[in-house]
Amino acid sequence: KRWSEKQAEGSIRAKLFKPFRPYLERWAKRLNKKAAESKKEITMNYWMVKREPDAYSWDDFVAEGKTDWTGVRNYQARNNLKAMKKGDKVLFYHSNIGKEVVGVAVVSKPEFPDPTDEKWVAVELTPSKKLKKPVGLAAMKANLALVNLGLIRQSQLSVIAVTKDEFEEIVSMSK
């Protein structure tokens, strides 16, 4: 025991609370456990991935049922892949041809080594739903709610973080 603990043992307060100590310790343990659980609340992230439709389209993705998102060779995009968690929602964007968001996917498996190059990472995506009406890049640029969208600010990035509000706005534009 430390010196301060030895001094506290002889205090009036220590003698007064001694019978209640086991109950107080259990109560404090429960409170600490609840506080730790509340910090572990699962927060969902939202993303956008881009693919050229002539190389791999939404229809190809749906036909396969799931896919490993491999071949990302940009450090910022790789960091975004690393940040993806199971259950995160992902917008599927056709780049070059069409330039539009066509569907929503879900991260079904978080980061793992990219089978095409072990130095990089990949995630597994599963298609969730096709948008009723594709949302084009011009419409997104014209929407003031999407002014800070990563697709507009960093158009070359293949994996982009999206806020919940941006995600919901794009999905609502497709109706």
Side-chain angles (χ1 to χ4, degrees):
K1 291 184 180 180
R2 294 192 317 234
W3 180 83
S4 60
E5 291 173 343
K6 288 179 185 176
Q7 290 295 93
E9 281 180 356
S11 72
I12 294 171
R13 183 183 292 160
K15 289 177 185 173
L16 183 66
F17 285 104
K18 187 173 184 179
F20 303 105
R21 187 175 181 133
Y23 302 107
L24 293 171
E25 287 176 350
R26 266 187 263 145
W27 182 65
K29 192 183 255 186
R30 268 192 222 122
L31 284 177
N32 288 337
K33 187 176 180 181
K34 285 183 181 179
E37 286 173 358
S38 70
K39 287 181 183 175
K40 290 181 185 176
E41 284 182 21
I42 298 172
T43 56
M44 182 180 296
N45 294 316
Y46 300 88
W47 307 94
M48 182 183 289
V49 292
K50 294 168 38 178
R51 208 35 82 90
E52 294 177 17
D54 55 345
Y56 190 78
S57 70
W58 173 260
D59 295 329
D60 297 334
F61 182 35
V62 171
E64 286 185 12
K66 65 179 179 178
T67 189
D68 292 344
W69 207 258
T70 61
V72 175
R73 299 295 181 262
N74 175 292
Y75 287 99
Q76 189 174 354
R78 180 211 51 197
N79 292 342
N80 288 340
L81 284 177
K82 283 183 170 186
M84 287 183 176
K85 297 182 301 253
K86 186 174 182 175
D88 285 355
K89 293 186 178 180
V90 182
L91 294 168
F92 193 101
Y93 180 82
H94 279 169
S95 60
N96 293 347
I97 302 167
K99 294 188 179 183
E100 56 195 10
V101 176
V102 292
V104 177
V106 176
V107 177
S108 52
K109 185 177 174 184
E111 72 160 297
F112 58 91
D114 187 332
T116 61
D117 187 346
E118 296 289 321
K119 294 183 288 186
W120 295 90
V121 297
V123 295
E124 183 183 87
L125 299 178
T126 306
S128 177
K129 69 175 185 174
K130 184 174 184 168
L131 297 182
K132 291 179 184 175
K133 182 178 78 174
V135 181
L137 180 60
M140 288 186 274
K141 284 182 176 181
N143 189 327
L144 294 177
L146 301 175
V147 169
N148 294 319
L149 184 66
L151 175 67
I152 296 167
R153 290 184 294 115
Q154 293 179 297
S155 61
Q156 297 300 313
L157 207 56
S158 62
V159 181
I160 303 161
V162 178
T163 67
K164 181 179 182 180
D165 293 335
E166 291 169 340
F167 180 89
E168 290 173 351
E169 182 67 23
I170 292 169
V171 171
S172 71
M173 289 171 69
S174 73
K175 294 178 181 173

